[in-house]
């Protein structure tokens, strides 16, 4: 029988939440800079000055005054309360996104502790759910989904499916059907309405989510995500032609069903 202290897992979850907050922001800045560089290259303009944006290797800093953050400013949730939501150096308000992401990650990861049957399952599910949270934030804030996130979710889901001794090929087939279905829907919209109603990233995301949760999840996730998206659009007073990221709702729906399964 294996065990890990719940408190230790909660602390690790908070640190993962802090890393997701930082990584999701850096990833967006990194991608924006790359797109700018590519656009400048196409337009035969001089490349942007300065070093490229580091995803992993640089210290966290205040985006306003560019001071590096010290260790106390990096303690999840507590540092925000301690600093009263302001940068220690320039007193500029720190975005609420950081404590929200840390709290969200903690509440999403904690149920996995009691559910995982062995350390490998816990690691795989922790990485899978953390990657989904990171991808949802990026899509919500910048309207794109990183391909590497799909790959991580696919790999972690494979470990989990094997550990649960579920039919890998059945899940793989369901994932491919989901991908095909959304690509067809996308093509139909493009042909008849001349609009990109569904992104290719959303199709890939649905495929890996259904691969993880099985054939029955396809309709459930699609319906629940559409419903959540509709509620969001109504609250935000979006019009028919407004762009809405679908990825966060696909992820929210799949996590909702997964946690319901854990709870029942
Ligand atoms: Zn500052």
């Amino acid at each position: 029988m294996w065990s890990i202290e719940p408190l230790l897992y909660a602390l690790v979850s908070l640190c993962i939440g802090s890393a997701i907050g930082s990584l999701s922001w850096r990833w967006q800045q990194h991608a924006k800079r790359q797109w700018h560089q590519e656009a400048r290259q196409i337009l035969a303009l001089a490349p942007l000055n300065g070093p490229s944006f580091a995803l992993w290797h640089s210290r966290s800093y205040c985006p306003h005054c560019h001071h590096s953050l010290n260790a106390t400013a990096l303690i999840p949730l507590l540092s925000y309360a301690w600093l009263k939501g302001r940068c220690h150096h320039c007193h500029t308000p720190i975005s609420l996104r950081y404590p929200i992401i840390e709290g969200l990650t903690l509440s999403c990861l904690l149920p996995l502790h009691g559910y995982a049957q062995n350390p490998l399952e816990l690691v795989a599910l922790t990485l899978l759910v953390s990657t989904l949270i990171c991808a949802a934030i990026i899509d919500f804030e910048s309207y794109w989904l990183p391909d590497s996130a799909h790959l991580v979710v696919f790999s972690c889901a494979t470990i989990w499916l094997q550990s649960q001794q579920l039919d890998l090929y059945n899940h793989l087939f369901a994932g491919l059907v989901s991908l095909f279905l959304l690509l067809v829907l996308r093509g139909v919209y493009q042909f008849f309405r001349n609009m990109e109603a569904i992104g290719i990233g959303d199709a890939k995301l649905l495929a890996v989510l259904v691969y993880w949760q099985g054939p029955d999840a396809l309709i459930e996730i699609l319906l629940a995500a559409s419903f959540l998206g509709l509620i969001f659009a109504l609250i935000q007073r979006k019009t028919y032609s407004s762009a809405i990221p679908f990825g966060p709702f696909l992820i929210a729906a799949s996590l909702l069903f997964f946690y319901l399964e854990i709870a029942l």
Side-chain angles (χ1 to χ4, degrees):
M1 187 69 189
W2 74 285
S3 70
I4 173 174
E5 283 294 325
L7 186 63
L8 178 64
Y9 185 71
L11 287 175
V12 171
S13 301
L14 274 175
C15 292
I16 292 173
S18 175
I20 291 173
S22 168
L23 180 65
S24 57
W25 184 80
R26 288 177 187 210
W27 211 331
Q28 292 175 63
Q29 306 310 312
H30 178 77
K32 273 180 204 162
R33 190 181 162 89
Q34 265 193 334
W35 294 331
H36 280 162
Q37 288 287 30
E38 284 168 17
R40 292 180 78 85
Q41 210 171 9
I42 292 166
L43 296 169
L45 296 170
L48 291 170
N49 291 324
S52 62
F53 211 91
L55 272 184
W56 303 99
H57 304 299
S58 66
R59 284 189 63 179
S60 294
Y61 62 87
C62 166
H64 190 253
C65 68
H66 293 266
H67 265 99
S68 290
L69 302 182
N70 55 26
T72 50
L74 294 172
I75 301 170
L77 290 179
L78 292 180
S79 62
Y80 191 85
W82 176 257
L83 295 167
K84 295 186 179 123
R86 290 181 180 274
C87 167
H88 178 65
H89 297 280
C90 66
H91 305 290
T92 301
I94 301 167
S95 169
L96 259 175
R97 81 186 283 281
Y98 295 99
I100 289 173
I101 292 170
E102 287 157 6
L104 178 75
T105 307
L106 178 68
S107 45
C108 285
L109 293 186
L110 269 186
L112 304 178
H113 175 266
Y115 173 73
Q117 304 292 314
N118 56 58
L120 186 64
E121 265 192 22
L122 184 63
V123 171
L125 285 175
T126 301
L127 189 57
L128 190 157
V129 173
S130 305
T131 306
L132 287 179
I133 295 171
C134 190
I137 294 162
I138 292 174
D139 197 21
F140 188 75
E141 292 179 337
S142 290
Y143 294 69
W144 61 274
L145 286 159
D147 272 342
S148 39
H150 301 133
L151 203 63
V152 174
V153 172
F154 179 80
S155 308
C156 293
T158 304
I159 294 170
W160 182 76
L161 290 170
Q162 282 192 318
S163 177
Q164 293 273 316
Q165 297 185 325
L166 291 165
D167 186 348
L168 218 60
Y169 293 105
N170 189 24
H171 282 241
L172 190 63
F173 181 70
L176 288 172
V177 168
S178 312
L179 180 69
F180 178 73
L181 183 73
L182 246 63
L183 289 179
V184 167
L185 267 176
R186 175 186 156 86
V188 167
Y189 258 92
Q190 271 182 330
F191 185 77
F192 288 107
R193 309 294 294 267
N194 198 24
M195 62 188 282
E196 192 178 297
I198 300 160
I200 289 179
D202 294 326
K204 292 182 199 166
L205 177 65
L206 181 69
V208 290
L209 291 174
V210 171
Y211 171 67
W212 171 35
Q213 299 197 353
D216 297 343
L218 171 58
I219 302 299
E220 290 174 355
I221 292 175
L222 264 183
L223 286 179
S226 305
F227 179 71
L228 292 173
L230 185 66
I231 300 286
F232 174 79
L234 288 174
I235 292 170
Q236 292 282 309
R237 295 170 188 269
K238 301 273 188 186
T239 62
Y240 182 70
S241 55
S242 302
I244 296 173
F246 196 36
F249 303 111
L250 287 172
I251 289 169
S254 71
L255 290 180
L256 196 72
F257 287 120
F258 181 68
Y259 289 117
L260 274 175
E261 205 177 293
I262 286 180
L264 298 175

